[in-house]
Amino acid sequence: MPAYRIGEAAPLLGVSADTVRRWIDAGRLPAARDEHGHRTVAGADLAAFARSLAAAGEAPGGEAEAHRSSARNRFHGIVTAVTRDTVMAMVEIQAGPHRVVSLMSREAVDELDLRVGALASAVVKSTNVIVERP
């Protein structure tokens, strides 16, 4: 069975290594020590913990999500460009290394008050991108 070091487990859970250490120290995530004394998490335990976070609706860091959605791919970032015409608009979001572009109605852009510098989330399900404001 594979075992993951804290630095390997953290990105799989979408959190920092410090968060994984706190979860281990609090007894939320079981861990053992390898032959070098490094803490490791068994693959099955890590998978079960990831499932329990998702089932509880917890976001990285243990915060409950503000709303529920069937979309599983969220890119939180900053709006870098908004191009409007009379009916449609194009919104670009830079989410870490990812650039996400969404085409939507101008009305939606106006209602969300999307503008350069605003925080927004691109919610991706299949080929549709839904943009939300926090």
Side-chain angles (χ1 to χ4, degrees), residues 32-82:
R33 297 234 179 229
D34 67 11
E35 63 275 6
H36 304 290
H38 299 116
R39 288 192 281 186
T40 62
V41 179
D45 290 338
L46 185 61
F49 186 72
R51 279 193 302 274
S52 72
L53 288 179
E58 288 190 46
E63 299 173 12
E65 287 189 43
H67 59 278
R68 308 286 290 173
S69 175
S70 64
R72 296 292 178 240
N73 303 299
R74 292 183 183 277
F75 298 91
H76 305 290
I78 189 166
V79 176
T80 56
V82 178

Side-chain angles (χ1 to χ4, degrees), residues 9 14-15 24 26 33 59 61 75 82 88 99-100 105 111 115 119 123 128 132:
V15 297
I24 291 170
R33 297 234 179 229
F75 298 91
V82 178
M88 296 299 293
R99 177 178 167 261
V100 182
S105 70
E111 284 179 9
R115 56 188 134 161
L119 295 178
V123 181
N128 297 316
E132 301 173 335

Side-chain angles (χ1 to χ4, degrees), residues 18-29 31 33 39:
D18 286 337
T19 297
V20 175
R21 282 186 197 92
R22 283 191 293 274
W23 284 337
I24 291 170
D25 292 343
R28 287 187 69 187
L29 180 60
R33 297 234 179 229
R39 288 192 281 186

